[in-house]
Amino acid sequence: MGDKSEWVEPLMSDMDIDFWRKAPKDGANLAAISEEPGKDQGSPKSILKNPLEDPDRNMESPTSEASLAETVARMMVREQTFLTELGEGRTESRRGSDFDGGSSGDEDDDDFVDDVSDYDENHNSDFRRRGRRKSVPFEFDIDADFNFDQDDEEDIRRRSKKRKITTDMVYSKACENCRLPPCGAFREQATKVSVCLRGMHLGPKEIKPIAISLVKDRTIVVLDLSDNNMGPVGVMYIAEMMQANRHLIELNLSQTNPCRSGLGALAETLRLNNSIRVLKLEENDIDHTDALDIASIIKSCPKLQELHLGHNRLGAAGGKVIAEALITSTGLRTLDLQWNHLRRESAVELSKALAKNKSLKLLNVAWNGFAKEGCLALAKALKVNSSLQELDLTCNRIDFQSLSFLAHGLVLNKGLHTVKLGHNPMTTDGANQLLKAMADCKESQLTELSLEDIPVDAEFIKTMNTIQATRNFKVIHGHVMKLATGSVSRDHDGTSLTRWEPTLVLFEYMRMDNLRLIDMFKSFDTKKRDKLSRTNLKDGINTLKIPFTEHMLDEIMEKLDVNKDGVIDLEEMMKGAKDMSRYVNQRTLKAKAKKREDMGLVTLRQTLKKIIKKRKEDQDQAAQNASRDRRKSMMEASGLPGLAGIVRKMQIKKSTGITIQDPEVAEMNDVEGMVKLAAMKFRRKLKKPSQPATISEDGETPDSKAPLTVAMTTAMS
């Protein structure tokens, strides 16, 4: 490749030529150039603990840290090295290689099928559905070199006059020099705190100007570049950017195909970065040969708190390397190793590392294969570890025997708050024993236990309720089993409508009850808004006494709400009625063609007739009760209840000869009419001369109240 000054000098200004002539001549890593004495790498005061609190978040001056031109030059030097290696075939693409789990000939490295054999093959997992991504070799045009030197940087400053240099300005200049159209999604988000470019089909060409624009950026703290075929060159651009950037907190490089050289560049530059907190490298086919770079990131990255490595292929050998790095780690808080083929020996090594680690708060090793050996080692680690707060062991081949080992560690641990053990073959008896052990442990800090997809019985539920009565304890479990000897009697519901489509039931009910569509709509629309919400629909259907379930109401809303605005207007209701009428006619014609009746419609109409008849009977009974209550209140208000009782008593005595002392014994068919008639005759009687004959109230002894009694007797006769 020759002296680097031969191809670096035309791209740089005179002031940088001497600087770059000091570069190594062997083509090795040039990141160490930035560590040359006299070059300011940024003081600790310039590194904000929280970039969001910075009052002046914009582009920094090149004098405070490595200049933009220096970072670009480093990218170009490493770019030449990468492309040369790729041309000679020294950088291998491992996508589509044999799945050996990390070490050849090791019995711990089962194939991909064995890794999930403990769970249903049809499990609804996003990663399972997505499958293994095929490698797409990235293309990079070496002739499209980027000529961004300090003259360009000064040109931007002159054109901006008193304005500060923004990320968008640098990005536009970088795209111009790279002869690429700018990415609209990035420009729209360049002023925001978080930038998401997931699945934007960005290759190394498109990543290069983005990386250059972020060198001096002080605004963006979250960068998501996942699901882009960046390749090792694109990841290298981001790695070199991270060496200079001091404000990026979260970086997502999942599904970017970094290969070994890209991971090496990340490990090399992140040790010089004091801002990164979260790094995601999921689904990158990272195997045991890349584990050393991952271990270097864990050991040397000073502020890294979360590392996500799920859905890779670390295997047994890679798991051991990660475990060694975990022992010395003091800053890592979250480690995600799910779906990494960690079994037996690697599980044991991770457990031993957990016993010595004092900083880890969350460990996710779901969908691996800890089994008996791993659970035994993990139980020993949990006895001495007090920092871990959440442990995910979902689908790890933990059977009843393995669970008995693990339970000893869980009972003695005083730091765990959440434990996930779902999708393991521990059986119902294992779940019962584990919960009883948790109930007997009074010093445990456990507040959540997940036993997802594990069936439980009544004994488990009883123990769970006992624990929850004394402390805050959340339990997630599978379905509750019932003994086969127990029988639950259920009465047959002849009015159940769950067999038919809810909209069909609604419109058939309307037709059979002789309701017009607009009348039914207006009766439902109590607020006169010309539209029905779900609440309006529910109240109206309850008024019609149609036994719909909540799920059936949801189906009606989904079927009739054509524009999906959450309400049903009259036009949508009419369209639904027409569609359902057409559907019913088609079914009827098909049945006639076969010279038989559509028994589904016949049964539905018979059921609806019963519902309508019962509703009308209930309404009639309610109307009679209301009328009786109204008459009673009218009598009480007019002061005639006593008179009605007297009339009733005299009628009973006349017909039976029995004297009734209580005037409210039985009610006449028309007490109100009788009282009115008696009162009317009594008023007429008062206008006539008084009669000498008097009859007492009981009909035996004369009394001074003869006129009233005579009038009543006359009325009764």
Side-chain angles (χ1 to χ4, degrees):
M1 189 165 60
D3 191 350
K4 293 177 179 54
S5 61
E6 296 178 1
W7 53 272
V8 173
E9 287 178 10
L11 308 178
M12 305 299 296
S13 61
D14 295 337
M15 62 184 299
D16 279 342
I17 292 177
D18 293 336
F19 174 79
W20 284 103
R21 280 176 174 166
K22 299 177 182 179
K25 303 294 184 180
D26 56 355
N29 172 36
L30 298 180
I33 294 177
S34 60
E35 300 178 2
E36 181 187 20
K39 294 291 181 181
D40 186 8
Q41 295 300 317
S43 61
K45 295 182 180 180
S46 66
I47 301 173
L48 298 175
K49 293 183 178 179
N50 185 0
L52 300 178
E53 298 176 358
D54 186 8
D56 183 21
R57 297 167 59 209
N58 210 306
M59 302 298 294
E60 290 185 345
S61 170
T63 59
S64 62
E65 298 176 357
S67 70
L68 180 59
E70 293 172 3
T71 304
V72 172
R74 282 200 307 272
M75 289 183 185
M76 296 172 62
V77 173
R78 194 185 288 268
E79 171 187 305
Q80 292 289 341
T81 304
F82 272 44
L83 293 176
T84 302
E85 292 178 354
L86 289 170
E88 296 174 358
R90 290 198 296 267
T91 302
E92 59 180 357
S93 175
R94 295 181 307 279
R95 292 194 179 274
S97 61
D98 292 338
F99 195 84
D100 57 2
S103 61
S104 59
D106 194 340
E107 64 178 1
D108 289 351
D109 304 328
D110 300 340
D111 57 13
F112 184 78
V113 177
D114 288 340
D115 187 38
V116 293
S117 60
D118 294 327
Y119 188 57
D120 185 4
E121 292 293 337
N122 295 324
H123 182 255
N124 192 12
S125 170
D126 291 339
F127 290 107
R128 294 287 303 282
R129 289 198 304 269
R130 186 183 301 141
R132 295 170 58 86
R133 285 163 43 93
K134 299 297 182 183
S135 175
V136 180
F138 61 87
E139 299 178 357
F140 192 82
D141 186 6
I142 194 171
D143 295 331
D145 286 341
F146 177 74
N147 301 325
F148 193 102
D149 56 15
Q150 288 190 350
D151 292 335
D152 291 323
E153 190 171 350
E154 293 299 328
D155 179 56
I156 293 178
R157 292 182 180 277
R158 285 195 301 270
R159 286 190 288 107
S160 63
K161 296 181 180 179
K162 295 183 179 180
R163 293 181 301 166
K164 293 184 178 180
I165 299 177
T166 63
T167 301
D168 186 57
M169 292 169 57
V170 178
Y171 179 65
S172 300
K173 180 65 176 178
C175 289
E176 178 184 346
N177 287 1
C178 286
R179 299 192 292 276
L180 290 172
C183 175
F186 179 73
R187 297 191 67 175
E188 290 176 2
Q189 303 177 68
T191 58
K192 299 179 181 179
V193 175
S194 176
V195 172
C196 179
L197 300 175
R198 178 180 178 85
M200 298 296 293
H201 305 285
L202 302 176
K205 287 184 183 180
E206 293 79 14
I207 291 295
K208 186 175 185 179
I210 293 176
I212 292 171
S213 65
L214 294 177
V215 170
K216 312 296 284 185
D217 180 81
R218 299 182 63 180
T219 301
I220 299 171
V221 296
V222 178
L223 179 61
D224 186 354
L225 296 172
S226 59
D227 199 14
N228 287 294
N229 192 29
M230 297 164 51
V233 176
V235 174
M236 177 272 295
Y237 291 146
I238 298 298
E240 291 295 340
M241 177 271 296
M242 291 299 298
Q243 181 174 336
N245 186 288
R246 293 293 183 267
H247 298 88
L248 202 60
I249 294 178
E250 180 176 337
L251 178 62
N252 189 347
L253 294 176
S254 301
Q255 296 178 280
T256 54
N257 190 24
C259 298
R260 192 178 310 169
S261 50
L263 292 174
L266 270 179
E268 213 169 311
T269 57
L270 285 182
R271 64 186 180 86
L272 305 174
N273 184 286
N274 289 322
S275 65
I276 191 70
R277 300 290 190 276
V278 182
L279 179 61
K280 298 181 180 180
L281 295 169
E282 298 175 321
E283 287 192 280
N284 277 317
D285 277 353
I286 300 173
D287 61 14
H288 65 287
T289 60
D290 306 317
L292 289 175
D293 294 325
I294 301 299
S296 176
I297 293 175
I298 295 176
K299 293 178 181 179
S300 60
C301 193
K303 300 295 183 180
L304 186 64
Q305 296 182 359
E306 295 185 20
L307 181 59
H308 298 264
L309 298 170
H311 297 263
N312 284 298
R313 302 184 297 122
L314 288 173
K320 294 177 182 178
V321 175
I322 300 298
E324 294 175 1
L326 195 60
I327 294 176
T328 59
S329 173
T330 57
L332 199 63
R333 300 289 184 269
T334 299
L335 180 60
D336 184 357
L337 294 173
Q338 60 177 319
W339 290 82
N340 264 289
H341 304 268
L342 304 175
R343 305 188 185 95
R344 301 186 181 95
E345 293 183 5
S346 55
V348 171
E349 294 299 324
L350 276 174
S351 300
K352 292 180 179 179
L354 185 63
K356 300 178 181 180
N357 183 278
K358 304 299 180 183
S359 64
L360 203 63
K361 302 293 183 183
L362 187 152
L363 177 61
N364 185 354
V365 288
W367 301 92
N368 286 295
F370 270 50
K372 181 175 68 175
E373 295 86 348
C375 287
L376 184 59
L378 193 58
K380 296 178 181 179
L382 291 177
K383 292 179 182 179
V384 297
N385 183 286
S386 59
S387 63
L388 194 66
Q389 296 180 358
E390 182 173 343
L391 177 62
D392 193 344
L393 290 168
T394 302
C395 195
N396 263 282
R397 304 179 181 178
I398 301 176
D399 55 13
F400 185 85
Q401 184 181 12
S402 304
L403 183 65
S404 62
F405 298 141
L406 182 63
H408 288 291
L410 294 176
V411 169
L412 297 177
N413 184 274
K414 298 181 181 180
L416 277 173
H417 294 167
T418 302
V419 175
K420 298 179 181 180
L421 295 169
H423 305 292
N424 280 297
M426 63 177 63
T427 71
T428 303
D429 292 337
N432 285 331
Q433 296 300 325
L434 177 62
L435 199 62
K436 289 180 180 178
M438 294 293 102
D440 296 336
C441 181
K442 305 301 181 182
E443 298 181 356
S444 175
Q445 301 296 320
L446 201 64
T447 58
E448 181 177 347
L449 177 63
S450 176
L451 301 175
E452 185 180 356
D453 200 46
I454 297 176
V456 298
D457 55 13
E459 182 182 358
F460 182 94
I461 300 298
K462 182 179 179 181
T463 307
M464 179 184 71
N465 293 334
T466 302
I467 298 176
Q468 291 176 345
T470 57
R471 60 189 173 103
N472 180 25
F473 190 69
K474 178 182 178 181
V475 180
I476 302 173
H477 56 78
H479 68 277
V480 180
M481 298 190 305
K482 295 181 180 180
L483 295 178
T485 55
S487 60
V488 179
S489 61
R490 296 182 179 178
D491 297 333
H492 174 68
D493 185 6
T495 61
S496 176
L497 301 174
T498 56
R499 293 175 291 170
W500 295 282
E501 187 179 358
T503 51
L504 172 64
V505 175
L506 177 63
F507 291 120
E508 280 295 302
Y509 183 99
M510 179 190 72
R511 187 185 64 81
M512 298 188 66
D513 200 23
N514 296 322
L515 293 173
R516 294 193 308 167
L517 179 65
I518 189 171
D519 294 335
M520 185 177 72
F521 184 86
K522 289 183 177 180
S523 66
F524 288 2
D525 185 18
T526 56
K527 295 184 179 180
K528 309 301 180 184
R529 300 184 305 166
D530 294 331
K531 54 187 177 181
L532 302 179
S533 64
R534 189 184 185 282
T535 303
N536 298 142
L537 184 66
K538 180 179 179 180
D539 295 341
I541 288 176
N542 288 338
T543 303
L544 295 179
K545 304 296 183 182
I546 307 177
F548 279 158
T549 62
E550 295 291 335
H551 177 67
M552 297 173 76
L553 288 175
D554 293 336
E555 287 188 7
I556 293 176
M557 287 294 299
E558 183 177 357
K559 189 71 176 291
L560 297 182
D561 184 14
V562 179
N563 57 4
K564 306 302 178 185
D565 58 351
V567 293
I568 303 173
D569 55 28
L570 181 59
E571 183 179 353
E572 291 174 332
M573 182 76 84
M574 293 175 64
K575 183 180 182 303
K578 289 180 181 178
D579 293 342
M580 195 51 60
S581 177
R582 190 180 304 111
Y583 170 73
V584 172
N585 291 336
Q586 290 175 354
R587 289 187 57 167
T588 305
L589 291 175
K590 287 182 180 180
K592 287 183 178 180
K594 296 180 181 179
K595 297 181 180 181
R596 60 180 178 83
E597 292 183 338
D598 190 327
M599 295 307 300
L601 291 176
V602 171
T603 307
L604 172 61
R605 288 163 181 167
Q606 291 175 352
T607 305
L608 292 179
K609 283 182 180 179
K610 295 179 182 179
I611 295 174
I612 294 173
K613 181 180 178 181
K614 187 175 185 304
R615 189 206 77 199
K616 291 183 176 180
E617 291 176 353
D618 293 342
Q619 289 177 345
D620 292 342
Q621 183 65 35
Q624 292 179 6
N625 294 337
S627 177
R628 185 182 299 110
D629 295 340
R630 187 169 57 255
R631 289 196 303 268
K632 185 176 180 180
S633 62
M634 289 174 58
M635 291 169 57
E636 292 177 352
S638 61
L640 296 177
L643 181 61
I646 293 172
V647 172
R648 178 61 177 159
K649 184 174 69 172
M650 294 178 65
Q651 182 187 28
I652 294 175
K653 182 178 180 181
K654 182 177 180 179
S655 60
T656 62
I658 301 174
T659 302
I660 303 299
Q661 300 297 331
D662 188 0
E664 298 181 358
V665 174
E667 200 174 46
M668 294 176 57
N669 293 332
D670 191 6
V671 176
E672 185 177 353
M674 183 63 67
V675 171
K676 290 182 179 179
L677 178 62
M680 181 182 65
K681 292 187 176 183
F682 174 66
R683 287 194 295 271
R684 292 177 181 175
K685 189 67 175 176
L686 291 178
K687 296 180 181 180
K688 297 180 181 181
S690 58
Q691 300 295 331
T694 60
I695 302 176
S696 63
E697 184 179 349
D698 57 3
E700 297 179 357
T701 307
D703 195 0
S704 59
K705 301 179 181 179
L708 177 62
T709 309
V710 171
M712 292 182 180
T713 305
T714 305
M716 293 296 297
S717 62

